[in-house]
Amino acid sequence: MQFFRQDEAEVSAIVGWGVRVLLLSPSDRVSDSKVAVRVAGLGGAVEIVNEPFAALDTLILKSTGYGLFVIECDAFGGLDAGRKLVSLLHKGGVSMPILLVSSECQTQEFPKDSHTPVVLRAPVSAVSLRVGFEHAMRDRLVFQAQ
């Protein structure tokens, strides 16, 4: 049997500690959504909303302090509907990291432009979500200097 010990696990394991995440999902509780559980596992403080325009209202009209917006697109009209919601969010003057999760995704997208959402294939794996999360938050994460 082999054991691995990571010396500084608390420094590198949780990439999004304390980031407030708004998740647009058909689930009512964090424990009911695989995406929500995995984002919470990365350190995000996940709050769920079940209606697309309620999510836009929350992000556009209120100063909420969310650092990431995640959309489970399949339950709300697919990937195109998710992209339209992002467009409406930008028209409302909000620019923030966004993850779109959809089973329609043929190729995962990790754009260079920080205003363009990261697109992940559903069902999302722990690895792709971590990479997508880190990529979306690349301008906001502060790395500890050693």
Side-chain angles (χ1 to χ4, degrees), residues 49-60:
V49 66
N50 304 108
E51 207 280 317
F53 292 106
L56 292 178
D57 180 56
T58 299
L59 294 171
I60 293 172

Side-chain angles (χ1 to χ4, degrees), residues 3-127:
F3 291 94
F4 294 95
R5 181 173 182 271
Q6 188 173 359
D7 290 338
E8 297 179 355
E10 68 279 352
V11 174
S12 61
I14 301 178
V15 296
W17 186 255
V19 173
R20 288 189 66 210
V21 180
L22 184 64
L23 172 64
L24 178 59
S25 172
S27 303
D28 291 322
R29 298 181 319 202
V30 171
S31 61
D32 293 339
S33 168
K34 191 176 198 179
V35 173
V37 169
R38 289 200 168 149
V39 169
L42 293 173
V46 180
E47 296 173 36
I48 294 178
V49 66
N50 304 108
E51 207 280 317
F53 292 106
L56 292 178
D57 180 56
T58 299
L59 294 171
I60 293 172
L61 300 178
K62 301 174 184 167
S63 178
T64 57
Y66 288 105
L68 178 67
F69 183 36
V70 181
I71 304 172
E72 290 184 21
C73 297
D74 293 344
F76 301 100
L79 189 55
D80 287 337
R83 292 185 193 277
K84 287 178 186 174
L85 284 173
V86 171
S87 175
L88 290 172
L89 191 64
H90 288 161
K91 287 178 183 176
V94 177
S95 178
M96 66 186 307
I98 300 172
L99 293 177
L100 300 177
V101 179
S102 175
S103 61
E104 296 174 13
C105 174
Q106 299 298 315
T107 304
Q108 299 187 113
E109 301 172 18
F110 302 96
K112 290 182 182 179
D113 180 15
S114 62
H115 301 293
T116 305
V118 172
V119 180
L120 302 175
R121 184 176 17 261
V124 68
S125 71
V127 173

